[in-house]
Amino acid sequence: MAERILIAEVGLDSRMAGAEAVYTYRATQGVRVGEAYMVPLGPRQTVGYVLAIKEIFDLELGFPVASLKGLGAKVGNLSLPEAVVDLVHETAKQTLSTVPTCLSLATPPGIKDRLVKEWRIVEGKEWDDLNTAQEEIMRSLAGGPLEESKTRPIPQGTMNSLKALRKRGAVELVTRVKMETGRGESGGRFQLTADSAQVDAYIRKHAKKRPAQVVTLMRLQGSEGVALSKEEIKMLGQVSDATLKALVNEGLLVEPEAGAHKIKTPPTPNEHQQAAIDLIQEAIRGEKSEQFLLYGITGSGKTEVFLRCAEEALGRGKQVLYLVPEIALTAQVVAQLRDRFGDRVAVLHSNLSSRERMDNWMRVASGEAPVVLGPRSALFAPLSNLGLIVVDEEHEASYKQENAPRYHTKQLAVFLAERFGCPVVMGSATPSVESFYAALNGGMRLLRLPVRAASAQLPEVFIEDLREGYKDRSAGVFSPRLREGIERALGRDEQVILFLNRRAFAPFVVCRDCGKRYECPHCAVALALHRKDKKLRCHHCDFSMPAPDVCDSCGGERVKAFGIGAERVEESVGTDFEGARVARLDRDIARRKGVLEDTIARFRTGELNVLVGTQMVAKGLDFPNVTLVGVIAADISLSIPDFRASERTFQLLSQVAGRAGRGARAGQVVIQTLSPDHPAVVMAQSHDFEGFYSTLILEREKAGYPPFRRLVNVVFTGPDERAVYELSAVGGQKLRRVLTDGEVLGPVDCPLSKLSNLYRRHVLVKLAPGADVGPVAEALAGLGTAEMRILIDVDPNSLV
């Protein structure tokens, strides 16, 4: 006769047990979804999380009930809120990934060495027929749990009594994570000294000899009066314990005085800010899962709107999730939240130590820290009572994870908002096309901040047409206007940033006798010339070879470099401008130990007056003496074969322009381009996002790209070119048969058709907006192998 049994589907962290690690265990009454257990896995035990509980007939198991193992000991303080488990399932559904792969995003770090076992009394039960030994144990446990560990074993007689008591239901064995003490104790937290003159003097004096310390101070400026943990300072300053200790010894980082922190009086909102605050707070009070787009020009006070709304949510006993792009998690952002909400703010970031992340995870789970600040990974914090979600700088590409599971932060934030019945507010000065379209067409509520909250002014922007110079062969690195601007700024002891999003001296090298183009043997790309290193290098797999003087194909001596890279711009500044003290900042420079800090510190103090850089200089630290920014070639990002190229170019030019005039003096921006009439360039000049959007949305609609279609990019990759070709052809056919309502384009070679000896082809699937992507995975099920892989990217950020 069939027997009804209770089972639990338990997920294990895919990093330990594999991508398919969901196993079935026997459950008992009272087991809840999200609870953590030490489950048996072969000869060992590991932490698993209950994903689902079911009652089934034993015949449905597919194997004898006697083989079904129990859950094991519960891990008392490691449970995931049920909403987080729901988020894990939703992530798997949206990204076509396995549940264990997504579960790894939600599991806390560094628990293995902190697990301890405890014997505890089962509350609510009385026992009057115990023997003497058992009574003694019960009296002992009434004073607190008994810890069991390898270093503190329990005597065998006591263990026998404990097991007998557990069999009767009087006691239970619980595994838990042992918390380390130390947070908040003297010496554990510091703040930047309030003596700004002391900080500035140290920066000026020690920029050359102590660059790491100087850059840390620069990164902490603006956070005065706010206490940060050691780990937070190391994460935000990107420095070691030795640097932190040196700053403490110099009196630049000081221990906060007990009770000394006073919350500053917040600024009074202007009418536009107040209107936005009122609408968002109304949604918080009504527990409505509304979506808001806070569209505000630079300096319009979006952060104050976020903070006022967070206050409303916290005042109602709710939690707040405050998401920022990776690059934007600065000391100033942490300080803004800590200044308003004190120790109730927990920072979750992968660059913190595992101890700090675990402690913060526990503080969030216990409710001690109801405000969570972090990048996209903070989505999976153990929140159980959300009242507000903030997604700042919502247009940033870093909100999309580029490795499995390839989730988009904004989509999951909307899911969480609906799950909890709370508003989600996305803010930007240059919103993504999809978000702005949704705001204009009822999918989101548009809130505008059209005026600046402070007196800061945007810089004047000039467009320089490079076509004339190429016509009369007078083209150089610098147009006449940019050259004049550099000379004028240097003559006034001001500083200049020159931006070119291309590393090396030149992007490719060609023999002008036989036409040979030097390419990477492992990737389908040209080798770039790094002249200072006398190397040709691949910027994808890092292959390098000596730069040739003579062609190895024909013996010709006319081997020439073509194009302009940041290294060439640096060299040209040094030779063309008297008094220029120039340095370069790009990935090649940054990976040399200490050079990044040295360059930033010397530029801040004025020892350098020209900084040449790639995208690294577009964001981050402020340099108040910079009055001119030159964009050497705006066409580089426009020429990328991707439907988001013009949108990214507009956003990038807007960010770069924001580097000029951040101090007391007015700023100017010169954009050099071969496409002076392109909307991304023209609208960036006038800071006209809405004009740019109006042009781009028509192109997207005509071409059938988001927001008018949902995209799925399916990439077929492997070491055998013919096998990849055949696999992609089969995959394309299967997709066409299954997706009769969609459009399937390809297969064709990817724009980067070979990377690190792997050939790449792709199929682009276009579906109706919001369409279920499950059939894509179903069509391709079983096609891939360990060697011939199929990567499915839902809602891709890039098609390259």
Side-chain angles (χ1 to χ4, degrees):
M1 183 176 176
E3 175 191 355
R4 299 286 290 180
I5 57 172
L6 194 65
I7 63 166
E9 299 291 343
V10 176
L12 310 182
D13 190 325
S14 64
R15 292 167 295 191
M16 298 176 62
E20 305 293 336
V22 177
Y23 298 101
T24 303
Y25 294 88
R26 188 156 200 160
T28 56
Q29 293 296 332
V31 172
R32 296 178 180 274
V33 169
E35 288 181 337
Y37 287 86
M38 293 300 297
V39 297
L41 186 66
R44 60 191 176 98
Q45 287 191 326
T46 188
V47 177
Y49 291 86
V50 177
L51 301 175
I53 301 167
K54 304 174 185 176
E55 189 175 27
I56 65 171
F57 287 107
D58 57 353
L59 298 177
E60 297 177 61
L61 275 177
F63 56 85
V65 175
S67 301
L68 185 63
K69 296 180 180 180
L71 282 172
K74 180 181 175 182
V75 186
N77 55 347
L78 206 58
S79 297
L80 298 175
E82 194 167 337
V84 174
V85 177
D86 291 343
L87 180 64
V88 167
H89 285 292
E90 180 66 18
T91 305
K93 177 183 174 183
Q94 287 192 13
T95 62
L96 304 178
S97 303
T98 65
V99 170
T101 300
C102 301
L103 181 63
S104 65
L105 300 169
T107 53
I111 62 174
K112 184 178 179 182
D113 298 327
R114 296 170 71 171
L115 291 173
V116 296
K117 294 179 180 179
E118 288 183 344
W119 290 91
R120 298 178 178 179
I121 291 177
V122 175
E123 300 294 337
K125 294 184 179 181
E126 295 184 7
W127 304 92
D128 55 7
D129 55 347
L130 305 178
N131 62 36
T132 303
Q134 292 170 348
E135 286 178 351
E136 180 63 31
I137 288 173
M138 294 296 282
R139 280 194 293 270
S140 175
L141 292 180
L146 176 63
E147 185 177 309
E148 174 187 346
S149 67
K150 291 180 180 179
T151 56
R152 297 179 59 186
I154 296 174
Q156 189 60 49
T158 304
M159 180 62 72
N160 292 338
S161 295
L162 284 169
K163 289 180 177 179
L165 287 168
R166 182 170 65 166
K167 192 172 183 180
R168 297 181 61 176
V171 301
E172 61 181 348
L173 178 61
V174 175
T175 304
R176 70 176 182 89
V177 177
K178 187 174 184 179
M179 299 306 298
E180 299 180 40
T181 58
R183 182 177 176 85
E185 293 181 359
S186 177
R189 309 184 78 196
F190 297 94
Q191 63 189 37
L192 184 64
T193 177
D195 188 345
S196 58
Q198 180 188 3
V199 173
D200 289 338
Y202 189 91
I203 289 174
R204 287 193 300 271
K205 182 177 180 180
H206 297 292
K208 193 165 187 176
K209 292 185 178 179
R210 304 174 187 173
Q213 296 171 31
V214 167
V215 172
T216 301
L217 292 174
M218 291 168 59
R219 287 175 171 145
L220 293 178
Q221 283 183 315
S223 69
E224 294 87 350
V226 174
L228 301 168
S229 73
K230 285 182 178 180
E231 292 297 331
E232 287 170 345
I233 294 172
K234 287 161 59 180
M235 181 265 293
L236 295 166
Q238 301 170 34
V239 290
S240 64
D241 283 309
T243 299
L244 188 148
K245 185 177 180 181
L247 292 173
V248 172
N249 292 338
E250 291 286 346
L252 296 162
L253 290 178
V254 298
E255 293 183 20
E257 297 177 21
H261 177 67
K262 295 181 180 179
I263 297 177
K264 299 173 185 175
T265 303
T268 302
N270 60 36
E271 60 176 321
H272 304 287
Q273 290 173 302
Q274 191 60 56
I277 291 167
D278 290 344
L279 288 170
I280 299 168
Q281 288 185 346
E282 180 185 343
I284 293 171
R285 289 189 292 269
E287 298 187 353
K288 301 175 185 175
S289 58
E290 284 192 71
Q291 299 176 46
F292 295 92
L293 177 62
L294 187 61
Y295 165 49
I297 57 176
T298 303
S300 59
K302 293 185 288 294
T303 301
E304 184 59 29
V305 174
F306 297 149
L307 295 178
R308 295 264 180 166
C309 295
E311 285 176 343
E312 176 69 25
L314 293 173
R316 303 180 69 80
K318 300 286 188 177
Q319 297 165 309
V320 175
L321 177 58
Y322 197 114
L323 300 172
V324 294
E326 196 90 23
I327 191 76
L329 186 54
T330 62
Q332 292 73 30
V333 173
V334 177
Q336 285 174 327
L337 271 74
R338 286 263 169 83
D339 187 58
R340 196 71 62 94
F341 308 122
D343 280 345
R344 292 185 292 170
V345 178
V347 178
L348 294 181
H349 193 285
S350 58
N351 286 348
L352 292 170
S353 68
S354 60
R355 170 184 169 173
E356 182 88 357
R357 281 187 289 155
M358 186 71 216
D359 288 348
N360 283 347
W361 192 95
M362 288 293 191
R363 292 177 63 227
V364 175
S366 68
E368 179 188 341
V371 180
V372 174
L373 170 65
R376 62 175 183 264
S377 57
L379 264 174
F380 296 88
L383 295 160
S384 57
N385 192 26
L386 260 178
L388 174 68
I389 302 173
V390 171
V391 184
D392 197 12
E393 303 294 342
E394 66 86 31
H395 63 276
E396 280 286 346
S398 64
Y399 278 128
K400 175 69 189 291
Q401 178 149 304
E402 294 302 332
N403 57 319
R406 295 174 175 81
Y407 66 90
H408 204 300
T409 304
K410 291 189 290 185
Q411 293 173 357
L412 294 182
V414 170
F415 170 81
L416 276 181
E418 292 172 349
R419 173 66 172 73
F420 282 101
C422 73
V424 55
V425 186
M426 305 188 190
S428 178
T430 54
S432 66
V433 170
E434 291 91 330
S435 292
F436 204 69
Y437 177 83
L440 293 180
N441 291 275
M444 303 178 75
R445 194 161 185 177
L446 181 60
L447 307 175
R448 296 176 183 269
L449 300 181
V451 298
R452 285 172 184 77
S455 58
Q457 296 295 314
L458 289 173
E460 190 176 7
V461 181
F462 300 94
I463 297 175
E464 283 290 279
D465 185 352
L466 297 180
R467 293 176 299 184
E468 295 302 319
Y470 282 100
K471 285 180 182 177
D472 60 19
R473 298 188 177 183
S474 65
V477 176
F478 311 108
S479 66
R481 184 186 292 276
L482 182 55
R483 182 177 292 276
E484 291 170 11
I486 295 172
E487 291 172 346
R488 184 167 55 250
L490 298 184
R492 295 175 179 172
D493 287 329
E494 297 167 352
Q495 290 177 300
V496 178
I497 289 178
L498 299 175
F499 173 78
L500 179 64
N501 209 20
R502 181 189 279 156
R503 294 152 57 199
F505 183 87
F508 60 97
V509 173
V510 174
C511 173
R512 298 187 71 172
D513 289 329
C514 71
K516 174 176 178 173
R517 177 178 169 134
Y518 284 82
E519 295 186 338
C520 176
H522 311 296
C523 308
V525 294
L527 294 171
L529 172 64
H530 291 250
R531 193 151 86 171
K532 285 187 177 180
D533 297 335
K534 298 181 181 179
K535 297 266 189 181
L536 298 184
R537 180 172 288 124
C538 174
H539 290 167
H540 294 278
C541 73
D542 213 30
F543 167 83
S544 65
M545 61 176 283
D549 296 319
V550 177
C551 177
D552 56 8
S553 289
C554 71
E557 298 182 353
R558 295 199 304 159
V559 179
K560 303 294 181 183
F562 289 87
I564 298 174
E567 187 182 328
R568 182 179 171 188
V569 176
E570 177 192 21
E571 181 181 286
S572 298
V573 170
T575 57
D576 290 8
F577 298 99
E578 185 178 350
R581 302 180 299 277
V582 61
R584 173 167 47 95
L585 196 58
D586 57 22
R587 196 182 305 168
D588 299 318
I589 293 292
R591 61 184 174 184
R592 299 176 192 169
K593 186 177 181 180
V595 177
L596 170 67
E597 292 80 5
D598 178 69
T599 302
I600 292 173
R602 290 166 63 207
F603 191 64
R604 171 62 182 267
T605 60
E607 183 181 338
L608 300 172
N609 54 14
V610 181
L611 183 63
V612 177
T614 57
Q615 195 162 343
M616 294 181 71
V617 304
K619 309 171 187 177
L621 296 166
D622 289 343
F623 300 104
N625 198 37
V626 172
T627 58
L628 175 66
V629 170
V631 179
I632 301 299
D635 308 275
I636 291 176
S637 54
L638 281 175
S639 61
I640 295 173
D642 189 88
F643 74 99
R644 296 190 194 274
S646 59
E647 181 181 11
R648 288 205 189 96
T649 299
F650 176 85
Q651 292 167 347
L652 187 57
L653 292 177
S654 299
Q655 290 165 354
V656 172
R659 298 289 96 197
R662 298 177 79 92
R665 302 174 186 177
Q668 287 189 342
V669 179
V670 177
I671 299 174
Q672 299 185 158
T673 178
L674 292 166
S675 309
D677 302 321
H678 195 286
V681 177
V682 174
M683 302 304 177
Q685 179 185 28
S686 56
H687 311 287
D688 183 7
F689 167 77
E690 292 192 53
F692 171 69
Y693 167 82
S694 298
T695 301
L696 186 58
I697 198 68
L698 296 176
E699 295 177 4
R700 293 275 185 95
E701 184 174 23
K702 185 177 181 180
Y705 281 105
F708 302 99
R709 296 289 187 277
R710 187 173 198 189
L711 302 185
V712 181
N713 192 34
V714 182
V715 179
F716 303 84
T717 179
D720 186 296
E721 185 176 14
R722 182 178 180 82
V724 171
Y725 190 95
E726 292 173 350
L727 179 66
S728 65
V730 173
Q733 291 172 357
K734 286 180 173 289
L735 288 167
R736 285 187 174 86
R737 280 200 298 267
V738 171
L739 303 172
T740 54
D741 294 333
E743 184 180 1
V744 179
L745 304 176
V748 296
D749 286 344
C750 295
L752 291 174
S753 60
K754 183 183 177 186
L755 284 177
S756 301
N757 291 322
L758 295 177
Y759 294 92
R760 306 169 74 242
R761 285 172 68 79
H762 70 142
V763 170
L764 183 62
V765 177
K766 293 184 176 183
L767 303 170
D772 178 17
V773 295
V776 175
E778 293 169 10
L780 300 171
L783 269 187
T785 65
E787 190 174 64
M788 305 296 295
R789 299 181 62 201
I790 301 176
L791 309 178
I792 304 175
D793 190 358
V794 180
D795 303 313
N797 247 358
S798 171
L799 301 179
V800 176

